[in-house]
Amino acid sequence: MWNFKQFNRSCIAPILLVFGVAGAATSVQAGNNPADPSKVVRVALEAPDDGFDLVRTYNAYSNWVAEAIFERLLTYDYLARPAKLVPQAAEAMPEVSDGGKSYVFHIRKGIYFAPDPAFKGVRRELTAQDYAYSFKRFLDPKNRSPSANVLEGKIAGMDEAVAKAKKSGRFDYDAPVAGLQTPDRYTLKITLTAPDYNFLYIMGFNALGAQAREVIDAYGEQSGAHPVGTGAYMLEQYVPRSKIVLVANPEYRGYTWDFKSTGSAWDEQLVHDMKGKKMPQVGRVEVSIIEEEQSRWLAFQGKQIDFDFLPQAAAPTVLDGTELKPSFKAEGIRMNTVIEPGLAYVIMNFRDPLLGGDSLEKNALRRAIAMSYNVQDEISQVRMGLAVKAEMVIPEGVVGHDPNYRSSIAYDPALANKLLDHFGYKRGADGYRTLPDGGPLVIKMATEASAKNVVFSEIWKRGLDKIGIRVDFKVSNYADNLRAATECKLMMWNGSWSADYPEGDNFMQLLYGPNAGQGNNGCYSSPAFDALYDKAKVLPPGPERNQLYIAMSRQMEADTAWVITVSRSRNWLIRPWIKGFKRHPILQADWQYLDMEKH
């Protein structure tokens, strides 16, 4: 990781060696996608997408699919651990100058968008202007992007353009922006308002893949159902919340599989199976939405899914300790185990009239609720042991995580009851409490319809019953709950976050006040937390910034904004005909790195 005090030109050379092109794909002739249409990979998602215009959603399952369609300037080496940035649409890592404020990217020539009627029969090459346009779309107030915070305030002159758009009601995409210049067809120069030590990670953020203006103009509000990118795949069929079919993009330039092993036995096998192959090999990807764990597991057992993570409920049937049982090994099934660089948590809406606010009595209520939840029950009854208790906001595997950190909030219903008694939440004859003013006290928790979520609800109800708080579970679906959360409308909701980039800022920004509705779905607002965040974001990675991350975690606990629960352990089960699989901590859509044998 970046471990230096001064960010200037003399430091850039070593950075580029760390994030350089070693292990990056080698280009082959444009328009020569080698994918075999008879090679069909079948996979399942555990929740529905929300369309594929990532300017308008950060739904994890939308991101998963869109990653195969759109290309960013930078991506990640498939095998390297820890995760390492490498060029994707860029020819090389950027030229950096002006103390880390100026970045010059050179776009690869001969990259073409997938064919689409929006191009009116013309073969459409990717240019630097497509990235400039895409970045502007993120900040166009009309789009209300939930991920706008990744670019807000960073690009010189962009704040003024946004202010004009808010005043006029229209973003002028043709007006020049000082910090976003395209001096020629293949050069993008980005000038920042201040050095940003995470900026290269931001350029690898999935949602910043290039979009063509003609496509957005053609489809408008329906762009999410008509994604057109330069990636390995294009959308052939889309049945919202049911099925997604991707096929090889005939314009994709292809590459040669030449990633370097980390030395593990798993990597050595991958290199043996894949080195030198013209990629992608898989010509078709069929994605089913199967929300119920048992149904997804039955689909895998019936060979209707080629690889999937092991459903938690099936773990006792499949695992003998940390190993596959002999019957599954006999089928040729392999298992790739990873601790996700992610976090599961429960938001408590700071804007909610009943639960929110920064008064002592409201904080006491949130703290008591947090203390009523038994994380160990979640690990044993929901996760079936496939999780570890999370202690701080930044999970293991992400820069800024402190392995010695321990949360100040523990499961303790007895202490929670004393806290509620002290602040005047009185018990009635039925054993349930009222607000200090005598008003009704009912927690409304959003959830989804699945067997797993039923168990979550049971754990919550048991704990809340012990402290005398009624709870009403509101069942909807993931996509609708996410949309409501971005509007600060959910009182409580089980959430999770997997790293978009492996640096603590990616998690702390979920609690930053100005990001309410843009990742900060609990709409947490704390001047003390925000001041710490502002200090951290201008520091380079290192002990000083890590101490601020610890202070931010403590401040979140003091305000009890979240109930932090677990980081999940994922056991990916892979059928023997799938070659090249290794779960990446950041990348999701791995289909372009795989091959499959006929079976």
Short mmCIF file of all heavy atoms in Angstrom, two decimals, residues 318-345:
data_model
loop_
_atom_site.label_atom_id
_atom_site.label_comp_id
_atom_site.label_asym_id
_atom_site.label_seq_id
_atom_site.Cartn_x
_atom_site.Cartn_y
_atom_site.Cartn_z
N VAL A 318 -22.27 -30.25 4.05
CA VAL A 318 -21.19 -30.23 3.05
C VAL A 318 -19.80 -30.30 3.67
O VAL A 318 -18.89 -30.89 3.09
CB VAL A 318 -21.32 -28.95 2.19
CG1 VAL A 318 -20.18 -28.83 1.18
CG2 VAL A 318 -22.67 -28.92 1.49
N LEU A 319 -19.65 -29.70 4.85
CA LEU A 319 -18.32 -29.53 5.42
C LEU A 319 -18.04 -30.51 6.55
O LEU A 319 -18.92 -30.82 7.37
CB LEU A 319 -18.14 -28.10 5.95
CG LEU A 319 -18.25 -26.97 4.93
CD1 LEU A 319 -18.05 -25.63 5.62
CD2 LEU A 319 -17.25 -27.14 3.80
N ASP A 320 -16.80 -30.95 6.58
CA ASP A 320 -16.27 -31.69 7.72
C ASP A 320 -15.17 -30.80 8.30
O ASP A 320 -14.03 -30.83 7.84
CB ASP A 320 -15.71 -33.03 7.25
CG ASP A 320 -15.22 -33.89 8.41
OD1 ASP A 320 -15.35 -33.45 9.57
OD2 ASP A 320 -14.71 -35.00 8.15
N GLY A 321 -15.56 -29.98 9.27
CA GLY A 321 -14.65 -28.94 9.76
C GLY A 321 -14.50 -27.86 8.70
O GLY A 321 -15.48 -27.23 8.31
N THR A 322 -13.28 -27.71 8.18
CA THR A 322 -13.04 -26.71 7.12
C THR A 322 -12.85 -27.37 5.76
O THR A 322 -12.52 -26.70 4.79
CB THR A 322 -11.79 -25.87 7.46
OG1 THR A 322 -10.66 -26.74 7.58
CG2 THR A 322 -11.98 -25.10 8.75
N GLU A 323 -13.08 -28.68 5.68
CA GLU A 323 -12.87 -29.41 4.43
C GLU A 323 -14.21 -29.92 3.88
O GLU A 323 -15.17 -30.12 4.62
CB GLU A 323 -11.96 -30.62 4.67
CG GLU A 323 -10.54 -30.24 5.11
CD GLU A 323 -9.74 -29.59 4.01
OE1 GLU A 323 -9.95 -29.98 2.82
OE2 GLU A 323 -8.93 -28.70 4.30
N LEU A 324 -14.23 -30.11 2.56
CA LEU A 324 -15.39 -30.75 1.94
C LEU A 324 -15.48 -32.20 2.38
O LEU A 324 -14.46 -32.88 2.54
CB LEU A 324 -15.25 -30.71 0.41
CG LEU A 324 -15.52 -29.40 -0.31
CD1 LEU A 324 -15.18 -29.56 -1.78
CD2 LEU A 324 -16.96 -28.95 -0.14
N LYS A 325 -16.70 -32.67 2.56
CA LYS A 325 -16.89 -34.09 2.87
C LYS A 325 -16.52 -34.93 1.64
O LYS A 325 -16.61 -34.46 0.50
CB LYS A 325 -18.33 -34.33 3.29
CG LYS A 325 -18.65 -33.76 4.67
CD LYS A 325 -20.05 -34.12 5.15
CE LYS A 325 -20.27 -33.63 6.58
NZ LYS A 325 -21.64 -33.95 7.07
N PRO A 326 -16.12 -36.17 1.86
CA PRO A 326 -15.65 -37.02 0.76
C PRO A 326 -16.65 -37.16 -0.39
O PRO A 326 -16.24 -37.24 -1.55
CB PRO A 326 -15.40 -38.37 1.45
CG PRO A 326 -15.09 -38.02 2.86
CD PRO A 326 -15.94 -36.83 3.18
N SER A 327 -17.93 -37.17 -0.09
CA SER A 327 -18.92 -37.36 -1.16
C SER A 327 -18.90 -36.20 -2.15
O SER A 327 -19.14 -36.39 -3.35
CB SER A 327 -20.32 -37.51 -0.56
OG SER A 327 -20.68 -36.38 0.20
N PHE A 328 -18.60 -35.00 -1.68
CA PHE A 328 -18.54 -33.84 -2.58
C PHE A 328 -17.21 -33.81 -3.33
O PHE A 328 -17.16 -33.45 -4.51
CB PHE A 328 -18.76 -32.54 -1.78
CG PHE A 328 -20.17 -32.41 -1.28
CD1 PHE A 328 -20.52 -32.87 -0.02
CD2 PHE A 328 -21.17 -31.86 -2.07
CE1 PHE A 328 -21.82 -32.78 0.45
CE2 PHE A 328 -22.47 -31.75 -1.62
CZ PHE A 328 -22.80 -32.22 -0.36
N LYS A 329 -16.14 -34.20 -2.65
CA LYS A 329 -14.85 -34.30 -3.35
C LYS A 329 -14.94 -35.33 -4.47
O LYS A 329 -14.34 -35.16 -5.54
CB LYS A 329 -13.75 -34.68 -2.37
CG LYS A 329 -13.37 -33.59 -1.39
CD LYS A 329 -12.22 -34.04 -0.50
CE LYS A 329 -11.79 -32.95 0.46
NZ LYS A 329 -10.68 -33.37 1.34
N ALA A 330 -15.71 -36.42 -4.23
CA ALA A 330 -15.84 -37.48 -5.24
C ALA A 330 -16.51 -36.97 -6.50
O ALA A 330 -16.31 -37.53 -7.59
CB ALA A 330 -16.62 -38.65 -4.66
N GLU A 331 -17.32 -35.91 -6.39
CA GLU A 331 -17.95 -35.31 -7.57
C GLU A 331 -17.00 -34.38 -8.32
O GLU A 331 -17.37 -33.83 -9.36
CB GLU A 331 -19.19 -34.51 -7.15
CG GLU A 331 -20.35 -35.33 -6.64
CD GLU A 331 -21.57 -34.45 -6.40
OE1 GLU A 331 -21.96 -33.69 -7.31
OE2 GLU A 331 -22.13 -34.51 -5.29
N GLY A 332 -15.80 -34.19 -7.78
CA GLY A 332 -14.84 -33.28 -8.41
C GLY A 332 -15.05 -31.84 -8.01
O GLY A 332 -14.42 -30.93 -8.58
N ILE A 333 -15.92 -31.58 -7.05
CA ILE A 333 -16.18 -30.21 -6.59
C ILE A 333 -14.97 -29.70 -5.82
O ILE A 333 -14.39 -30.41 -5.00
CB ILE A 333 -17.45 -30.17 -5.71
CG1 ILE A 333 -18.68 -30.51 -6.56
CG2 ILE A 333 -17.62 -28.80 -5.07
CD1 ILE A 333 -19.95 -30.69 -5.76
N ARG A 334 -14.57 -28.47 -6.10
CA ARG A 334 -13.49 -27.82 -5.37
C ARG A 334 -14.06 -26.68 -4.54
O ARG A 334 -15.15 -26.16 -4.85
CB ARG A 334 -12.44 -27.29 -6.34
CG ARG A 334 -11.63 -28.38 -7.05
CD ARG A 334 -10.93 -27.84 -8.27
NE ARG A 334 -11.88 -27.44 -9.30
CZ ARG A 334 -11.84 -26.27 -9.94
NH1 ARG A 334 -10.89 -25.40 -9.67
NH2 ARG A 334 -12.74 -25.98 -10.85
N MET A 335 -13.33 -26.25 -3.51
CA MET A 335 -13.81 -25.18 -2.64
C MET A 335 -12.74 -24.11 -2.48
O MET A 335 -11.60 -24.41 -2.14
CB MET A 335 -14.20 -25.74 -1.26
CG MET A 335 -14.81 -24.70 -0.34
SD MET A 335 -15.54 -25.43 1.16
CE MET A 335 -14.03 -25.96 2.01
N ASN A 336 -13.13 -22.87 -2.74
CA ASN A 336 -12.25 -21.72 -2.58
C ASN A 336 -12.81 -20.88 -1.43
O ASN A 336 -13.90 -20.33 -1.53
CB ASN A 336 -12.21 -20.92 -3.87
CG ASN A 336 -11.24 -19.75 -3.85
OD1 ASN A 336 -11.53 -18.69 -4.39
ND2 ASN A 336 -10.09 -19.91 -3.24
N THR A 337 -12.08 -20.82 -0.31
CA THR A 337 -12.56 -20.16 0.90
C THR A 337 -11.91 -18.79 1.07
O THR A 337 -10.69 -18.66 0.98
CB THR A 337 -12.27 -21.02 2.14
OG1 THR A 337 -12.91 -22.29 1.98
CG2 THR A 337 -12.79 -20.35 3.41
N VAL A 338 -12.73 -17.77 1.32
CA VAL A 338 -12.22 -16.41 1.55
C VAL A 338 -13.02 -15.76 2.68
O VAL A 338 -14.21 -16.01 2.84
CB VAL A 338 -12.33 -15.53 0.29
CG1 VAL A 338 -11.42 -16.01 -0.81
CG2 VAL A 338 -13.77 -15.46 -0.22
N ILE A 339 -12.32 -14.95 3.49
CA ILE A 339 -13.00 -14.04 4.41
C ILE A 339 -13.21 -12.76 3.63
O ILE A 339 -12.26 -12.11 3.20
CB ILE A 339 -12.18 -13.76 5.68
CG1 ILE A 339 -11.92 -15.04 6.46
CG2 ILE A 339 -12.90 -12.73 6.55
CD1 ILE A 339 -13.16 -15.64 7.08
N GLU A 340 -14.46 -12.38 3.41
CA GLU A 340 -14.74 -11.20 2.60
C GLU A 340 -14.22 -9.93 3.27
O GLU A 340 -14.37 -9.78 4.49
CB GLU A 340 -16.25 -11.07 2.38
CG GLU A 340 -16.84 -12.12 1.47
CD GLU A 340 -18.29 -11.83 1.14
OE1 GLU A 340 -18.95 -11.15 1.95
OE2 GLU A 340 -18.75 -12.28 0.08
N PRO A 341 -13.63 -9.03 2.48
CA PRO A 341 -13.26 -7.73 3.03
C PRO A 341 -14.52 -6.85 3.12
O PRO A 341 -14.68 -5.85 2.43
CB PRO A 341 -12.26 -7.19 2.00
CG PRO A 341 -12.72 -7.79 0.71
CD PRO A 341 -13.29 -9.14 1.05
N GLY A 342 -15.43 -7.29 3.96
CA GLY A 342 -16.73 -6.64 4.05
C GLY A 342 -17.28 -6.72 5.45
O GLY A 342 -16.69 -7.32 6.36
N LEU A 343 -18.44 -6.12 5.62
CA LEU A 343 -19.02 -5.95 6.93
C LEU A 343 -20.53 -6.07 6.83
O LEU A 343 -21.14 -5.54 5.90
CB LEU A 343 -18.66 -4.54 7.43
CG LEU A 343 -18.79 -4.22 8.92
CD1 LEU A 343 -17.79 -5.02 9.72
CD2 LEU A 343 -18.56 -2.72 9.12
N ALA A 344 -21.13 -6.80 7.77
CA ALA A 344 -22.58 -6.79 7.92
C ALA A 344 -22.92 -5.94 9.15
O ALA A 344 -22.20 -5.99 10.16
CB ALA A 344 -23.12 -8.21 8.09
N TYR A 345 -23.98 -5.20 9.06
CA TYR A 345 -24.34 -4.28 10.14
C TYR A 345 -25.82 -3.95 10.04
O TYR A 345 -26.49 -4.31 9.06
CB TYR A 345 -23.50 -3.00 10.08
CG TYR A 345 -23.53 -2.32 8.72
CD1 TYR A 345 -24.49 -1.35 8.41
CD2 TYR A 345 -22.60 -2.66 7.74
CE1 TYR A 345 -24.52 -0.75 7.16
CE2 TYR A 345 -22.62 -2.06 6.50
CZ TYR A 345 -23.58 -1.10 6.21
OH TYR A 345 -23.62 -0.51 4.98
#
